[in-house]
Amino acid sequence: MTKKRRDTVQDGSVRGRRVAFKDIDEADLEVHDPKPHAAGMKAVEVSFARGLAQGGLSRTVRSMYRVNQSGGMDCPGCAWPEPTEGPRKPVEFCENGAKAIAEESTTRIVTPEWWAEHSIAELETKTEYWLGQSGRITHPMAIRAGETHYRPISWSEAFETIGEHVRATTPERCMFYTSGRTANETAFLYQLLARCLGTNNLPDCSNMCHESSGTALNPTIGIGKGTVSLQDLEHSELIFVVGQNPGTNHPRMLGSLAQARKNGGKVVAVNPLPEAGLMRFKDPQTVKGMVGDGDRISDEFLQIKVGGDQALFQALGHLLLQREAADPGSVVDREFIESRTKGYQDYAAARSTIDWAEIEKATGLARTEIDHIADLMAASKATIFCWALGLTQQPHSVDTIKEIVNLLLLQGNFGKPGAGACPVRGHSNVQGDRTFGIWERPTEPFLARLDAEFGIASPRAHGYDSTDGMSAMHAGEVDVFVSMGGNLAAANSDTAVMEAGLKRTGLTVHISTKPNRSHVVHGETSIILPTLGRSDRDDKHPGGPQFLSVENSMSVVSSTRGRLEPVSDHLLAEPVIIARMAQAIFGPDHVVDWQAMAEDYDVIRDHASRVVEGTEDFNRRVRDKQGFVLPNPPRDHRSFATADGKAGFTVRELEYLDPPEGHLVLQTMRSHDQYNTTFYGLDDRYRGISGGRRVILIHPEDLAATGFADRDLVDVVSVFQGEERRAERFHLVAYPTARGCVAAYYPEANALTHRGLVARESNTPGFKAMMVRFEARAEEAAIHEDS
Ligand SMILES: Nc1nc2c(c(=O)[nH]1)N[C@H]1C(S)=C(S)[C@@H](COP(=O)(O)OP(=O)(O)OC[C@H]3O[C@@H](n4cnc5c(=O)[nH]c(N)nc54)[C@H](O)[C@@H]3O)O[C@H]1N2
Ligand SMILES: Nc1nc2c(c(=O)[nH]1)N[C@H]1C(S)=C(S)[C@@H](COP(=O)(O)OP(=O)(O)OC[C@H]3O[C@@H](n4cnc5c(=O)[nH]c(N)nc54)[C@H](O)[C@@H]3O)O[C@H]1N2
Ligand SMILES: [Mo]
């Protein structure tokens, strides 16, 4: 007992262990052949190993057992839905969900002593891996101008300091960022605080993620979300999985795809990388998945060039129209087009001819390959397009996604079983955050209802998104930056600009579970407010334990409730933190009763039910075992809430990424062992890369053309409108990616994304559209000369 306690803080209210961590040593880099399949027994093994290393057996089993069960906890890993019909499997989670939970339920702790041991100067040299693995933050901490270390601060002093800073400036110089793990109730309170203050400066991680999807879908189909259910997916005839790596980022999706294939559906994967999860899936929940080869996932794999998807979709539109002309009524859903859409004539005219040489150049695909896919589409009566970040982070992303809408409209693939649009969302509640008001460009009806509910006058001017917010910070135009979770310093583009912006800000406040880079590159004054995670029990309320709710990628709202003992008694729940922040800012006589909402989340839900469309009777319906589904006009009754009630075809010029001489196109992606800017470990198992992360995956022939050899260490230089960005020390690794396209991990490569490189209209950073070249490192060249 005494032995066990030795490295524990001598404060009865802190329960974890303090552990020291080794940082990443790129010298440990190992490269193996990519895996031909995803999941299998190894996945189960890794899940439990990580859980045990972080939290011990009982916490691991307790938390994992509750995941994604009715009335249990929503997995913080991703936004893929749970089945709403039929029995759930005894364990409805995946390897990476298990890792996400193990990370959160860790008993490693970051105490005031930890902060006293590590100066900011030292922490600045640490990697995200080291910072995150240090553990859960146990106490509120603060650092002021001239200080070298964070020091403990009481909750009341922290709130007073925030109140003083906010009152000392104007609303448009305050900014409230949200990361997508934030629950619905929390999001609702947070946006209310910003709007009571008088600003729509509510950037969120969605700005860097699926903003292009919403921007393309809202004007064309009248809703910024997907239009399919899990049943649709499992009963679709043809499913496209475009720009997505489900084996790593949405592992439970593989089960649905395997099911769709069993039901006779076909799957077409479109990706520059032959990702393991797109090839075969060994379901660890079946005997066959444990020992056999598993199930095939993709019937067809199109190894497209990065940024070539718009060209592919235009070509498919052309070919479908050609088949329709040859056999009228066989392909195009004329009745649907006439009654429900507009713009068809212009679209058909624009697609009547096509420049095949250009399509082949843009996609890297052969015309025969595309022809074959058009045959599959023509034969399908129910097609679904799934996509994720491979389509959203390029200059022409919005146009590319609008081409998907064109293809779906052409065959009437909305509001019928097995058909529709399926942008696969990232963070477990990024979709719900938007539904509950986190948006820098809120709609007028939403604001009008919010104002009526609370008797406030919300600002109408649009606020900053994450890209514009960074520029504003960099220009010294932000005095207060509050971050509800997340890690903008590492997640945003143009790392040096982002970090300089944070340092220029008067006050930065982070409501966090674990240390990260954003705490280290902080404002003049910085406050860290430690909060409960999703797996933690939230029971310090007069009315008893509270639960929260989330919305998944398919618009299902359900409750989530943590069960674990928090690692420290000093943590506050997120809604409580927001309410106390609001009280400190607005004083005791504010028109909004913050106290009532912090004490009882039912009160938040009651308010929200009168503001957020489709949440009527919220408190009763959220207590239903399976939750409830938000209205979705295209899915529910083939109707489109656009200005004129019609879905719109659009015509956009063909665009693709054509690198300047001597450059290649760089995309950035997640490894199998990370959650965005948080690293679980250093093993990108499916791609065969382990022990290091500063790698560039490059096609062997492109590698030969650069004059470098496999495993050479280089600096990467990106170019954007005559400006350059440099990131040092990356190993080149020969890899079967599409020609002309290289890949690196996020966030290591974010320094290379110029902040001006964004998707038009959505302003999402061009994380998958950089033009790069490689330069020999001076010292390395010297070594070669010596030898
Ligand atoms: N375990 C785990 N799960 C996660 C996350 C995590 O970090 N870890 N993050 C969550 C979040 S926030 C999100 S948004 C999602 C992200 O989910 P994904 O979108 O799957 O994430 P990425 O790793 O960015 O992978 C992008 C994929 O698109 C491909 N791609 C890149 N460029 C192109 C292109 O031009 N065309 C096509 N067709 N493909 C392209 C890449 O090769 C890669 O397979 O995952 C969520 N789930
Ligand atoms: N190059 C490149 N950059 C990218 C991307 C890319 O594909 N390529 N993807 C972009 C995308 S899709 C996204 S979504 C963003 C992600 O951007 P963010 O959402 O800002 O980043 P995360 O890494 O998810 O945030 C992790 C931090 O959240 C905190 N945290 C975790 N759980 C909780 C909780 O329950 N409550 C609170 N309050 N805090 C918590 C922890 O302190 C942790 O350090 O990054 C973007 N950046
Ligand atoms: Mo995301």
Side-chain angles (χ1 to χ4, degrees):
M1 184 69 198
T2 27
K3 198 168 173 227
K4 216 172 152 196
R5 288 217 126 199
R6 197 180 312 156
D7 53 8
T8 305
V9 173
Q10 294 309 308
D11 169 349
S13 58
V14 176
R15 280 170 284 274
R17 297 173 291 144
R18 289 184 54 212
V19 185
F21 253 91
K22 179 176 163 289
D23 217 341
I24 304 177
D25 181 356
E26 296 286 333
D28 297 337
L29 179 69
E30 278 183 41
V31 180
H32 304 277
D33 287 341
K35 293 274 179 298
H37 54 71
M41 193 57 209
K42 183 79 185 164
V44 177
E45 213 181 288
V46 173
S47 314
F48 277 89
R50 288 295 156 72
L52 293 176
Q54 294 279 358
L57 185 61
S58 80
R59 279 172 82 85
T60 305
V61 172
R62 281 185 66 190
S63 51
M64 288 188 190
Y65 184 67
R66 302 296 314 171
V67 176
N68 294 340
Q69 299 298 325
S70 304
M73 176 182 93
D74 178 65
C75 179
C78 75
W80 190 255
E82 292 74 50
T84 49
E85 287 173 0
R88 297 205 180 162
K89 293 175 185 162
V91 190
E92 190 64 55
F93 74 94
C94 67
E95 175 191 345
N96 278 347
K99 287 188 206 161
I101 293 156
E103 276 294 304
E104 186 175 283
S105 52
T106 185
T107 48
R108 294 175 189 156
I109 48 173
V110 168
T111 59
E113 287 71 13
W114 185 94
W115 295 104
E117 275 161 30
H118 304 291
S119 69
I120 287 296
E122 182 197 345
L123 293 175
E124 277 211 66
T125 67
K126 298 294 190 187
T127 63
E128 279 299 344
Y129 183 48
W130 188 91
L131 291 170
Q133 290 295 318
S134 300
R136 290 284 298 268
I137 305 167
T138 61
H139 288 69
M141 304 296 299
I143 187 167
R144 296 186 173 78
E147 293 181 343
T148 55
H149 292 74
Y150 273 97
R151 288 189 290 129
I153 182 173
S154 71
W155 279 104
S156 39
E157 195 188 341
F159 291 127
E160 273 162 34
T161 309
I162 296 168
E164 280 162 20
H165 277 262
V166 172
R167 285 193 305 270
T169 184
T170 50
E172 66 283 359
R173 296 178 67 88
C174 298
M175 197 163 115
F176 299 87
Y177 174 70
T178 316
S179 167
R181 202 176 278 195
T182 304
N184 293 331
E185 293 78 0
T186 317
F188 187 75
L189 271 195
Y190 195 56
Q191 62 85 33
L192 179 63
L193 186 159
R195 292 183 173 127
C196 285
L197 183 65
T199 177
N200 286 313
N201 287 340
L202 285 159
D204 69 346
C205 68
S206 186
N207 297 146
M208 298 175 276
C209 184
H210 263 290
E211 199 66 55
S212 302
S213 303
T215 306
L217 296 177
N218 266 317
T220 52
I221 63 166
I223 189 166
K225 310 179 180 184
T227 68
V228 303
S229 68
L230 208 51
Q231 289 86 289
D232 286 325
L233 202 90
E234 293 179 358
H235 294 95
S236 178
E237 291 181 28
L238 183 62
I239 302 170
F240 284 82
V241 180
V242 193
Q244 211 199 323
N245 180 21
T248 287
N249 296 317
H250 305 92
R252 285 178 301 116
M253 180 179 179
L254 298 185
S256 305
L257 293 175
Q259 188 58 49
R261 287 194 77 250
K262 279 193 193 113
N263 296 339
K266 287 199 156 49
V267 176
V268 177
V270 185
N271 202 302
L273 296 176
E275 308 281 27
L278 299 174
M279 303 304 150
R280 298 192 83 83
F281 168 51
K282 297 171 75 170
D283 187 346
Q285 304 187 354
T286 66
V287 174
K288 194 172 148 217
M290 293 277 202
V291 294
D293 286 344
D295 294 305
R296 181 165 164 178
I297 290 293
S298 302
D299 296 272
E300 307 292 336
F301 172 55
L302 300 181
Q303 188 162 30
I304 198 162
K305 284 194 177 190
V306 171
D309 305 85
Q310 191 202 9
L312 170 66
F313 301 148
Q314 289 197 352
L316 287 170
H318 168 75
L319 293 172
L320 289 179
L321 288 168
Q322 235 181 22
R323 281 159 178 69
E324 171 72 10
D327 182 5
S330 65
V331 177
V332 168
D333 187 339
R334 297 205 171 254
E335 197 277 322
F336 175 81
I337 289 175
E338 266 153 43
S339 62
R340 314 273 167 160
T341 74
K342 65 183 170 196
Y344 172 71
Q345 296 306 337
D346 291 343
Y347 174 73
R351 288 296 94 79
S352 62
T353 56
I354 200 147
D355 178 347
W356 277 106
E358 190 157 39
I359 296 293
E360 291 189 339
K361 179 178 177 218
T363 59
L365 303 170
R367 180 175 175 170
T368 48
E369 282 178 279
I370 301 177
D371 239 330
H372 175 59
I373 303 300
D375 286 338
L376 295 181
M377 287 187 81
S380 165
K381 297 281 169 250
T383 300
I384 289 177
F385 272 87
C386 301
W387 72 89
L389 304 190
L391 294 194
T392 63
Q393 301 172 327
Q394 292 156 351
H396 56 310
S397 283
V398 175
D399 296 348
T400 302
I401 296 163
K402 283 185 173 174
E403 292 296 351
I404 291 184
V405 174
N406 287 336
L407 290 175
L408 289 171
L409 290 176
L410 206 53
Q411 295 188 283
N413 278 314
F414 284 103
K416 68 179 181 191
C422 182
V424 181
R425 305 299 304 259
H427 262 299
S428 54
N429 198 43
V430 59
Q431 184 159 318
D433 290 345
R434 186 59 59 87
T435 303
F436 282 78
I438 303 294
W439 199 10
E440 74 284 354
R441 296 176 279 151
T443 64
E444 177 53 35
F446 178 90
L447 291 182
R449 288 191 300 269
L450 187 71
D451 288 357
E453 177 67 19
F454 292 100
I456 59 171
S458 296
R460 266 38 185 190
H462 288 176
Y464 295 133
D465 59 22
S466 60
T467 302
D468 292 344
M470 161 167 59
S471 293
M473 285 170 123
H474 190 247
E477 289 162 5
V478 176
D479 295 322
V480 177
F481 171 71
V482 182
S483 192
M484 176 51 77
N487 182 7
L488 200 54
N492 214 342
S493 55
D494 231 343
T495 312
V497 174
M498 183 67 231
E499 294 196 348
L502 278 166
K503 288 183 177 176
R504 264 193 107 157
T505 302
L507 173 71
T508 52
V509 180
H510 286 92
I511 300 154
S512 309
T513 50
K514 292 189 161 190
N516 64 41
R517 182 77 183 165
S518 299
H519 305 141
V520 177
V521 286
H522 55 76
E524 278 163 47
T525 299
S526 171
I527 296 179
I528 300 172
L529 303 176
T531 188
L532 297 176
R534 205 175 271 179
S535 51
D536 296 327
R537 210 162 53 210
D538 182 5
D539 57 1
K540 287 192 212 148
H541 298 264
Q546 301 292 313
F547 68 90
L548 292 162
S549 71
V550 291
E551 175 187 348
N552 67 32
S553 213
M554 292 177 181
S555 307
V556 180
V557 177
S558 57
S559 64
T560 175
R561 190 192 292 269
R563 310 268 165 172
L564 293 182
E565 170 100 2
V567 290
S568 152
D569 281 340
H570 303 284
L571 310 185
L572 289 183
E574 290 172 339
V576 176
I577 294 177
I578 298 169
R580 288 190 59 185
M581 212 155 65
Q583 289 170 320
I585 294 169
F586 304 124
D589 303 320
H590 195 239
V591 32
V592 175
D593 188 348
W594 298 96
Q595 186 73 25
M597 292 194 279
E599 284 179 1
D600 181 355
Y601 303 167
D602 277 0
V603 179
I604 309 179
R605 283 185 284 267
D606 266 337
H607 283 300
S609 71
R610 292 183 289 267
V611 177
V612 178
E613 257 184 334
T615 62
E616 302 78 19
D617 207 6
F618 197 172
N619 273 310
R620 184 187 60 76
R621 290 196 294 159
V622 77
R623 286 174 165 85
D624 278 358
K625 265 193 143 186
Q626 314 282 17
F628 62 97
V629 188
L630 289 172
N632 191 305
R635 171 169 87 191
D636 301 341
H637 30 74
R638 291 197 135 182
S639 62
F640 301 94
T642 53
D644 54 6
K646 302 244 173 184
F649 282 93
T650 43
V651 175
R652 298 291 175 108
E653 290 271 307
L654 175 61
E655 192 175 320
Y656 52 96
L657 303 172
D658 195 7
E661 186 61 32
H663 290 73
L664 297 161
V665 178
L666 171 69
Q667 62 138 325
T668 54
M669 68 211 172
R670 292 149 176 79
S671 85
H672 194 61
D673 232 1
Q674 75 183 83
Y675 196 89
N676 296 337
T677 68
T678 303
F679 305 149
Y680 305 142
L682 299 174
D683 190 7
D684 194 8
R685 200 167 76 243
Y686 297 157
R687 299 196 186 105
I689 311 285
S690 65
R693 297 182 41 97
R694 298 184 77 82
V695 293
I696 300 280
L697 308 185
I698 179 169
H699 190 280
E701 286 171 37
D702 289 328
L703 178 62
T706 63
F708 289 106
D710 195 17
R711 248 41 86 67
D712 270 359
L713 196 60
V714 296
D715 289 345
V716 187
V717 179
S718 70
V719 294
F720 174 76
Q721 294 185 352
E723 281 189 57
E724 294 191 343
R725 298 282 189 266
R726 175 179 293 267
E728 298 189 340
R729 303 186 71 83
F730 281 77
H731 286 279
L732 294 170
V733 173
Y735 197 88
T737 172
R739 285 299 307 271
C741 309
V742 295
Y745 295 125
Y746 140 62
E748 283 78 0
N750 286 39
L752 295 165
T753 318
H754 191 288
R755 69 177 144 146
L757 174 63
V758 291
R760 285 188 308 275
E761 301 172 72
S762 67
N763 223 16
T764 296
F767 291 132
K768 293 179 173 60
M770 291 173 257
M771 306 298 170
V772 298
R773 63 172 192 272
F774 310 115
E775 293 185 355
R777 293 184 51 78
E779 82 224 43
E780 257 63 50
I783 293 169
H784 281 288
E785 273 161 32
D786 288 350
S787 54

